[in-house]
Amino acid sequence: MLTLLSDLKNPKLFQYGEETMHALNEGRLSDDIVAEQRKVTEAELIIFQFPLYWFSVPAIMKGWIDRVLAQGFAFSLEKMYDNGIFKDKKAMLSFTTGAIESMFRPDGINGDINVSLWPLQNGILHFCGFQVLAPQIFWSPAHCPDFVRTTMLDGWRSRLKDLLTETPLRFASCEWFNLSFQGGFMLRPEVKKEQESQEYGLTVGHHLGKPLPKDNQTKAPPVDKGCLCVPHGGIRASPAAEDAKKNDRN
């Protein structure tokens, strides 16, 4: 799958993200990529179906991600995470594993599946703004009897009926961070201090040296009227963080 139809914008210093963004803006992306981007634009929900390879996606799917979710089309420095370009769309992973479920538990030999999913669900889908639904995981279907595989498919078929109404996974909101190069895009000190009294970290990636929140990347949080949540599954900033954000604007 080719990306660019003509010469580089800056042949002396190749920067893939910059080149694809320029090509996008100038209509120089190859037809197959434009066609895939059109599908993404028109979609309300995207389900990525794949076998888990080496704790990640197969190479052909990674190539699709690298080329289709291009800078300028799927993200920018100003539009990322819960402020992202695709914040009104939903996406999810549906995949099969070779390993049995217990191997992906915190005390299993492969480690916590929530940690394995963080780069894909936060670093790709949520980074582009998608509301990320809980993954559909088919554990070791190649080593299951027929009736177990049938049960897996029946469960997936049932879930699909109400998929669009599901609550997304929870991620830390951009409001928690100082979104500037001067601030290093770091968690605001006042927010970090407020989290000191919490038993668990914010997310798998923002654990702050604490135990990981259970099932953070595999199950949507229960609806809680007292929870400080934002519509895209993030965590709304506390009053201290909101005040700090207002001060940034002033």
Side-chain angles (χ1 to χ4, degrees):
M1 183 189 293
L2 296 175
T3 300
L4 307 177
L5 294 177
S6 58
D7 295 335
L8 298 177
K9 195 78 172 180
N10 184 358
K12 294 183 179 180
L13 178 61
F14 178 72
Q15 299 181 74
Y16 182 77
E18 292 292 323
E19 291 294 344
T20 53
M21 183 173 64
H22 288 309
L24 172 70
N25 293 336
E26 297 171 5
R28 294 188 291 112
L29 287 179
S30 58
D31 292 342
D32 52 352
I33 290 182
V34 172
E36 292 299 300
Q37 289 180 340
R38 186 177 301 113
K39 295 175 185 177
V40 173
T41 300
E42 294 174 353
E44 182 178 359
L45 165 67
I46 300 177
I47 300 175
F48 293 90
Q49 181 70 55
F50 60 96
L52 193 68
Y53 279 7
W54 294 111
F55 292 75
S56 187
V57 299
I60 191 170
M61 181 173 166
K62 183 57 164 62
W64 185 95
I65 291 169
D66 291 343
R67 292 165 174 81
V68 176
L69 300 183
Q71 183 175 345
F73 170 73
F75 68 92
S76 69
L77 186 60
E78 296 78 19
K79 295 181 179 180
M80 58 183 180
Y81 294 117
D82 49 320
N83 297 324
I85 291 174
F86 298 139
K87 63 183 180 180
D88 294 324
K89 299 179 181 293
K90 296 181 178 181
M92 68 172 292
L93 307 179
S94 174
F95 60 91
T96 57
T97 70
I100 59 177
E101 184 176 4
S102 61
M103 294 171 70
F104 274 104
R105 290 176 181 167
D107 56 349
I109 193 169
N110 288 342
D112 193 339
I113 187 64
N114 290 275
V115 175
S116 299
L117 292 176
W118 179 258
L120 298 173
Q121 296 189 151
N122 180 77
I124 297 175
L125 300 182
H126 181 51
F127 182 78
C128 294
F130 285 110
Q131 302 173 46
V132 185
L133 301 182
Q136 182 73 19
I137 307 176
F138 300 91
W139 298 106
S140 192
H143 305 290
C144 293
D146 288 344
F147 79 91
V148 174
R149 288 194 290 270
T150 298
T151 300
M152 289 179 180
L153 292 175
D154 288 343
W156 181 219
R157 187 178 296 109
S158 177
R159 184 184 176 190
L160 285 170
K161 296 177 182 178
D162 298 311
L163 200 59
L164 287 173
T165 65
E166 289 188 4
T167 301
L169 298 174
R170 181 174 298 168
F171 298 89
S173 172
C174 286
E175 293 183 1
W176 285 89
F177 301 86
N178 185 330
L179 301 180
S180 69
F181 285 102
Q182 292 82 358
F185 295 83
M186 298 288 290
L187 195 67
R188 295 179 182 277
E190 62 275 10
V191 178
K192 190 173 183 179
K193 185 173 180 58
E194 289 181 5
Q195 298 306 310
E196 292 178 356
S197 61
Q198 301 301 314
E199 181 179 1
Y200 297 97
L202 288 170
T203 65
V204 167
H206 309 101
H207 52 74
L208 306 179
K210 298 184 177 186
L212 303 184
K214 186 179 180 181
D215 300 327
N216 177 249
Q217 292 297 294
T218 54
K219 294 182 180 179
V223 178
D224 184 353
K225 294 181 180 179
C227 179
L228 296 177
C229 299
V230 294
H232 302 150
I235 306 169
R236 190 176 63 201
S238 62
E242 292 176 347
D243 290 342
K245 189 175 182 181
K246 290 177 182 178
N247 292 334
D248 287 348
R249 298 193 190 104
N250 296 334

